[in-house]
């Protein structure tokens, strides 16, 4: 006799979970710093280094109270933190009969600077800076890329200087300086800022090109602004008047108000029957 057919197995089919998909938009623009000439680079570094040494701007830290911060590798292989200085210990303290405590000397000069990426970013958002310098050896480059549109929107000259941390960090007693900003109230670095700003290349931000151009350089912007002023100066009655000149003996057309005589429902519209109310059962 032939064997009876066996029933198919009833094993449970495991459903695969759909992969989570997130929609993201890529930036079509490339954010780049302006190219700085080698001669201008040496001038900026030498000018700032000499001025810092002449002022005696130095930070002394107590190794016992020194806090560990996340390290960041630079192009040269050194490690440094994202925000080198928090700006909390600006007071100058000298205990009697002991070594100098941790802090900046002189403190008033330190308040005229913004040191570190976080401090420079906060100062730019508050529109407190005249000049921004970023270190080119900071890796990855995204840690300083946000300073380009932020500086351009505030109208602050900014550039990326090679070997900025290598030259200025030892002069100030720091491990590294990834960003350096000069505040508007600076008096100690006023002459240096005036000499450096003409050497800073212009930032090119595609979505801010129209706003960054001077109105004197673009004649089209002047014509548009003059048209806007004329429109604002004219009254509503002048705007409502017809602009076309009428010939002699010709009368202007007068528009009559629209009158609706009859409303005809659309016969092709499908209407749902009204829902009947359910009678309560006795």
């Amino acid at each position: 006799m032939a064997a009876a057919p066996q029933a198919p197995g009833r094993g449970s089919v495991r459903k695969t979970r759909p992969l989570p998909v997130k929609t993201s938009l890529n930036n079509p623009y490339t954010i780049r710093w302006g190219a700085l000439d080698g001669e201008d680079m040496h001038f900026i570094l030498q000018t700032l280094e000499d001025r810092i040494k002449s002022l005696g701007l130095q930070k002394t830290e107590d190794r016992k109270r020194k806090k560990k911060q996340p390290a960041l590798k630079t192009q040269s292989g050194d490690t440094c933190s994202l925000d080198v200085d928090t700006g909390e210990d600006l007071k100058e303290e000298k205990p009697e009969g002991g070594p100098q405590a941790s802090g900046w000397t002189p403190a008033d000069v330190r308040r005229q600077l913004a040191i570190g990426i976080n401090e420079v970013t906060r100062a730019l958002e508050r529109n407190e800076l005249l000049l921004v310098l970023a270190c080119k050896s900071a890796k990855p480059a995204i840690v300083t890329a946000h300073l380009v549109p932020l500086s351009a929107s505030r109208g602050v000259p900014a550039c990326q200087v090679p070997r900025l941390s290598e030259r200025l960090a030892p002069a100030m007693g720091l491990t590294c300086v990834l960003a350096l900003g000069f505040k508007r109230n600076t008096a100690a670095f006023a002459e240096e800022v005036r000499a450096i700003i003409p050497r800073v290349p212009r930032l090119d931000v595609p979505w801010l090109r129209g706003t960054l151009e001077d109105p004197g350089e673009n004649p089209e912007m002047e014509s548009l602004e003059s048209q806007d002023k004329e429109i604002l100066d004219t009254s509503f009655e002048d705007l409502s008047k017809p602009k076309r000149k009428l010939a002699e003996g010709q009368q202007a057309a007068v528009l009559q108000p629209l009158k609706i005589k009859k409303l005809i429902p659309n016969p092709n519209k499908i209407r749902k029957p009204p829902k009947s109310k359910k009678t309560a059962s006795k």
Side-chain angles (χ1 to χ4, degrees), residues 132-159:
V132 174
L133 301 177
C135 185
K136 194 174 182 179
S137 61
K139 297 295 179 181
I142 196 173
V143 297
T144 57
H146 68 282
L147 299 177
V148 177
L150 191 57
S151 302
S153 62
R154 300 299 189 273
V156 178
C159 67

mmCIF file of all heavy atoms in Angstrom, residues 132-159:
data_model
loop_
_atom_site.group_PDB
_atom_site.id
_atom_site.type_symbol
_atom_site.label_atom_id
_atom_site.label_comp_id
_atom_site.label_asym_id
_atom_site.label_seq_id
_atom_site.Cartn_x
_atom_site.Cartn_y
_atom_site.Cartn_z
ATOM 1 N N VAL A 132 38.775 86.837 13.961
ATOM 2 C CA VAL A 132 38.800 85.426 14.361
ATOM 3 C C VAL A 132 39.915 84.730 13.596
ATOM 4 O O VAL A 132 40.015 84.849 12.370
ATOM 5 C CB VAL A 132 37.450 84.737 14.089
ATOM 6 C CG1 VAL A 132 37.543 83.243 14.368
ATOM 7 C CG2 VAL A 132 36.352 85.349 14.937
ATOM 8 N N LEU A 133 40.754 83.997 14.328
ATOM 9 C CA LEU A 133 41.824 83.197 13.738
ATOM 10 C C LEU A 133 41.654 81.754 14.193
ATOM 11 O O LEU A 133 41.486 81.502 15.390
ATOM 12 C CB LEU A 133 43.195 83.723 14.161
ATOM 13 C CG LEU A 133 43.515 85.177 13.801
ATOM 14 C CD1 LEU A 133 44.876 85.568 14.347
ATOM 15 C CD2 LEU A 133 43.447 85.410 12.301
ATOM 16 N N ALA A 134 41.682 80.819 13.255
ATOM 17 C CA ALA A 134 41.534 79.393 13.558
ATOM 18 C C ALA A 134 42.802 78.661 13.152
ATOM 19 O O ALA A 134 43.479 79.035 12.188
ATOM 20 C CB ALA A 134 40.327 78.805 12.829
ATOM 21 N N CYS A 135 43.102 77.611 13.894
ATOM 22 C CA CYS A 135 44.304 76.814 13.618
ATOM 23 C C CYS A 135 43.999 75.811 12.508
ATOM 24 O O CYS A 135 42.971 75.122 12.548
ATOM 25 C CB CYS A 135 44.763 76.095 14.880
ATOM 26 S SG CYS A 135 46.312 75.190 14.677
ATOM 27 N N LYS A 136 44.892 75.726 11.541
ATOM 28 C CA LYS A 136 44.669 74.826 10.412
ATOM 29 C C LYS A 136 44.968 73.380 10.737
ATOM 30 O O LYS A 136 44.499 72.471 10.046
ATOM 31 C CB LYS A 136 45.525 75.280 9.228
ATOM 32 C CG LYS A 136 45.148 74.641 7.906
ATOM 33 C CD LYS A 136 45.926 75.241 6.765
ATOM 34 C CE LYS A 136 45.489 74.626 5.436
ATOM 35 N NZ LYS A 136 46.225 75.211 4.290
ATOM 36 N N SER A 137 45.722 73.121 11.793
ATOM 37 C CA SER A 137 46.101 71.751 12.132
ATOM 38 C C SER A 137 45.033 71.027 12.936
ATOM 39 O O SER A 137 45.254 69.885 13.328
ATOM 40 C CB SER A 137 47.413 71.756 12.923
ATOM 41 O OG SER A 137 47.258 72.474 14.136
ATOM 42 N N ALA A 138 43.889 71.653 13.215
ATOM 43 C CA ALA A 138 42.819 70.999 13.974
ATOM 44 C C ALA A 138 42.167 69.933 13.109
ATOM 45 O O ALA A 138 41.724 70.208 11.990
ATOM 46 C CB ALA A 138 41.786 72.019 14.428
ATOM 47 N N LYS A 139 42.124 68.718 13.584
ATOM 48 C CA LYS A 139 41.536 67.589 12.876
ATOM 49 C C LYS A 139 40.513 66.910 13.780
ATOM 50 O O LYS A 139 40.781 66.706 14.960
ATOM 51 C CB LYS A 139 42.613 66.584 12.446
ATOM 52 C CG LYS A 139 43.638 67.142 11.465
ATOM 53 C CD LYS A 139 43.008 67.511 10.147
ATOM 54 C CE LYS A 139 44.047 68.102 9.190
ATOM 55 N NZ LYS A 139 43.469 68.497 7.899
ATOM 56 N N PRO A 140 39.308 66.560 13.284
ATOM 57 C CA PRO A 140 38.809 66.781 11.923
ATOM 58 C C PRO A 140 38.484 68.245 11.667
ATOM 59 O O PRO A 140 38.292 69.023 12.601
ATOM 60 C CB PRO A 140 37.549 65.915 11.859
ATOM 61 C CG PRO A 140 37.070 65.855 13.265
ATOM 62 C CD PRO A 140 38.310 65.873 14.141
ATOM 63 N N ALA A 141 38.408 68.615 10.395
ATOM 64 C CA ALA A 141 38.200 70.008 10.027
ATOM 65 C C ALA A 141 36.820 70.519 10.383
ATOM 66 O O ALA A 141 36.592 71.721 10.414
ATOM 67 C CB ALA A 141 38.434 70.182 8.525
ATOM 68 N N ILE A 142 35.887 69.599 10.709
ATOM 69 C CA ILE A 142 34.520 70.018 11.012
ATOM 70 C C ILE A 142 34.427 70.766 12.341
ATOM 71 O O ILE A 142 33.455 71.490 12.589
ATOM 72 C CB ILE A 142 33.580 68.786 11.017
ATOM 73 C CG1 ILE A 142 32.123 69.213 10.940
ATOM 74 C CG2 ILE A 142 33.846 67.916 12.236
ATOM 75 C CD1 ILE A 142 31.158 68.073 10.768
ATOM 76 N N VAL A 143 35.434 70.623 13.206
ATOM 77 C CA VAL A 143 35.373 71.281 14.513
ATOM 78 C C VAL A 143 35.501 72.794 14.376
ATOM 79 O O VAL A 143 35.060 73.540 15.255
ATOM 80 C CB VAL A 143 36.455 70.724 15.457
ATOM 81 C CG1 VAL A 143 36.235 69.263 15.730
ATOM 82 C CG2 VAL A 143 37.845 70.971 14.903
ATOM 83 N N THR A 144 36.104 73.269 13.282
ATOM 84 C CA THR A 144 36.220 74.710 13.055
ATOM 85 C C THR A 144 35.450 75.184 11.828
ATOM 86 O O THR A 144 35.453 76.378 11.530
ATOM 87 C CB THR A 144 37.693 75.105 12.885
ATOM 88 O OG1 THR A 144 38.271 74.353 11.809
ATOM 89 C CG2 THR A 144 38.480 74.833 14.162
ATOM 90 N N ALA A 145 34.777 74.270 11.113
ATOM 91 C CA ALA A 145 34.065 74.657 9.885
ATOM 92 C C ALA A 145 32.875 75.566 10.177
ATOM 93 O O ALA A 145 32.514 76.406 9.347
ATOM 94 C CB ALA A 145 33.599 73.417 9.133
ATOM 95 N N HIS A 146 32.249 75.420 11.357
ATOM 96 C CA HIS A 146 31.073 76.253 11.652
ATOM 97 C C HIS A 146 31.433 77.716 11.883
ATOM 98 O O HIS A 146 30.555 78.581 11.867
ATOM 99 C CB HIS A 146 30.364 75.710 12.897
ATOM 100 C CG HIS A 146 31.149 75.882 14.157
ATOM 101 N ND1 HIS A 146 32.204 75.066 14.513
ATOM 102 C CD2 HIS A 146 31.051 76.798 15.155
ATOM 103 C CE1 HIS A 146 32.703 75.456 15.664
ATOM 104 N NE2 HIS A 146 32.029 76.514 16.079
ATOM 105 N N LEU A 147 32.710 78.014 12.086
ATOM 106 C CA LEU A 147 33.119 79.395 12.289
ATOM 107 C C LEU A 147 33.070 80.205 10.998
ATOM 108 O O LEU A 147 33.013 81.436 11.046
ATOM 109 C CB LEU A 147 34.535 79.452 12.875
ATOM 110 C CG LEU A 147 34.740 78.793 14.244
ATOM 111 C CD1 LEU A 147 36.202 78.872 14.649
ATOM 112 C CD2 LEU A 147 33.854 79.453 15.298
ATOM 113 N N VAL A 148 33.084 79.532 9.839
ATOM 114 C CA VAL A 148 33.069 80.248 8.561
ATOM 115 C C VAL A 148 31.727 80.946 8.334
ATOM 116 O O VAL A 148 31.680 82.170 8.169
ATOM 117 C CB VAL A 148 33.418 79.291 7.407
ATOM 118 C CG1 VAL A 148 33.338 80.007 6.069
ATOM 119 C CG2 VAL A 148 34.794 78.693 7.605
ATOM 120 N N PRO A 149 30.582 80.229 8.306
ATOM 121 C CA PRO A 149 29.316 80.955 8.105
ATOM 122 C C PRO A 149 28.945 81.846 9.280
ATOM 123 O O PRO A 149 28.291 82.875 9.092
ATOM 124 C CB PRO A 149 28.291 79.820 7.917
ATOM 125 C CG PRO A 149 28.887 78.641 8.596
ATOM 126 C CD PRO A 149 30.365 78.768 8.424
ATOM 127 N N LEU A 150 29.373 81.472 10.485
ATOM 128 C CA LEU A 150 29.053 82.296 11.647
ATOM 129 C C LEU A 150 29.785 83.635 11.583
ATOM 130 O O LEU A 150 29.208 84.688 11.885
ATOM 131 C CB LEU A 150 29.406 81.543 12.925
ATOM 132 C CG LEU A 150 28.912 82.134 14.246
ATOM 133 C CD1 LEU A 150 27.409 82.289 14.242
ATOM 134 C CD2 LEU A 150 29.346 81.264 15.414
ATOM 135 N N SER A 151 31.043 83.616 11.178
ATOM 136 C CA SER A 151 31.797 84.865 11.033
ATOM 137 C C SER A 151 31.283 85.689 9.863
ATOM 138 O O SER A 151 31.209 86.925 9.946
ATOM 139 C CB SER A 151 33.283 84.565 10.855
ATOM 140 O OG SER A 151 33.801 83.828 11.936
ATOM 141 N N ALA A 152 30.926 85.011 8.777
ATOM 142 C CA ALA A 152 30.425 85.750 7.613
ATOM 143 C C ALA A 152 29.087 86.415 7.899
ATOM 144 O O ALA A 152 28.832 87.535 7.438
ATOM 145 C CB ALA A 152 30.293 84.800 6.425
ATOM 146 N N SER A 153 28.217 85.751 8.649
ATOM 147 C CA SER A 153 26.921 86.353 8.972
ATOM 148 C C SER A 153 27.056 87.538 9.909
ATOM 149 O O SER A 153 26.210 88.433 9.899
ATOM 150 C CB SER A 153 26.004 85.292 9.593
ATOM 151 O OG SER A 153 26.559 84.809 10.812
ATOM 152 N N ARG A 154 28.110 87.560 10.723
ATOM 153 C CA ARG A 154 28.338 88.688 11.632
ATOM 154 C C ARG A 154 29.222 89.772 11.012
ATOM 155 O O ARG A 154 29.430 90.806 11.631
ATOM 156 C CB ARG A 154 28.996 88.195 12.933
ATOM 157 C CG ARG A 154 28.190 87.183 13.717
ATOM 158 C CD ARG A 154 26.856 87.751 14.170
ATOM 159 N NE ARG A 154 26.164 86.887 15.098
ATOM 160 C CZ ARG A 154 25.358 85.896 14.767
ATOM 161 N NH1 ARG A 154 25.169 85.613 13.474
ATOM 162 N NH2 ARG A 154 24.761 85.173 15.687
ATOM 163 N N GLY A 155 29.749 89.515 9.827
ATOM 164 C CA GLY A 155 30.626 90.483 9.192
ATOM 165 C C GLY A 155 31.980 90.604 9.853
ATOM 166 O O GLY A 155 32.597 91.678 9.829
ATOM 167 N N VAL A 156 32.470 89.508 10.446
ATOM 168 C CA VAL A 156 33.748 89.507 11.157
ATOM 169 C C VAL A 156 34.806 88.863 10.263
ATOM 170 O O VAL A 156 34.608 87.745 9.783
ATOM 171 C CB VAL A 156 33.631 88.740 12.494
ATOM 172 C CG1 VAL A 156 34.968 88.702 13.210
ATOM 173 C CG2 VAL A 156 32.577 89.380 13.377
ATOM 174 N N PRO A 157 35.940 89.507 10.011
ATOM 175 C CA PRO A 157 37.005 88.863 9.231
ATOM 176 C C PRO A 157 37.543 87.635 9.966
ATOM 177 O O PRO A 157 37.807 87.674 11.168
ATOM 178 C CB PRO A 157 38.074 89.958 9.116
ATOM 179 C CG PRO A 157 37.371 91.233 9.411
ATOM 180 C CD PRO A 157 36.265 90.900 10.360
ATOM 181 N N ALA A 158 37.708 86.556 9.231
ATOM 182 C CA ALA A 158 38.189 85.298 9.823
ATOM 183 C C ALA A 158 39.027 84.570 8.794
ATOM 184 O O ALA A 158 38.771 84.641 7.587
ATOM 185 C CB ALA A 158 37.027 84.417 10.272
ATOM 186 N N CYS A 159 40.025 83.847 9.268
ATOM 187 C CA CYS A 159 40.881 83.060 8.385
ATOM 188 C C CYS A 159 41.483 81.908 9.178
ATOM 189 O O CYS A 159 41.480 81.911 10.409
ATOM 190 C CB CYS A 159 41.983 83.905 7.759
ATOM 191 S SG CYS A 159 43.208 84.511 8.926
#
